[in-house]
Amino acid sequence: MTVVLTSDGPDNHGIEEKIAAIAAPLGLKVHVVWADRGLPGSELCEALSLLAYNPWAWMFVSATIALVLMAGLKGLFWTFFWGTAAWFTSRFLIASAARKKARSFMSAVWR
């Protein structure tokens, strides 16, 4: 069994032996791997690692490259512009619908 542990400080003495002692009666051999989270830049490495295995990220990168090759930078700009405008419009409409629903619910409760 492989156990990945993270630590913010150096005060984790004996934890590997404790885990091995718990798993030994079950017939498991334990391998402990330490992942440092306190090092500068480790958060960026974790984020990039997660991004490298995310299919949505690869779809976005390849679609952006295809759009630049097919429509140029002007096409890329207007695609992102109208996509961002649509995102903000949908967020506004959803938020206003939720507020309207909450108001109608509160008016029904207070009657």
Side-chain angles (χ1 to χ4, degrees), residues 60 67 75-91:
F60 179 77
L67 183 62
L76 178 70
F77 169 77
W78 286 112
T79 300
F80 281 139
F81 175 81
W82 289 112
T84 304
W87 184 85
F88 278 108
T89 303
S90 68
R91 293 290 293 181

Side-chain angles (χ1 to χ4, degrees), residues 36-56:
D36 289 327
R37 294 193 130 197
L39 295 176
S42 63
E43 294 171 359
L44 177 63
C45 290
E46 287 180 32
L48 291 176
S49 176
L50 289 174
L51 197 61
Y53 291 105
N54 188 345
W56 289 98

Side-chain angles (χ1 to χ4, degrees), residues 5 12-21 30 32-34:
L5 301 174
N12 44 26
H13 302 291
I15 190 98
E16 295 178 26
E17 292 80 18
K18 290 178 186 176
I19 293 173
V30 177
V32 177
V33 177
W34 286 97

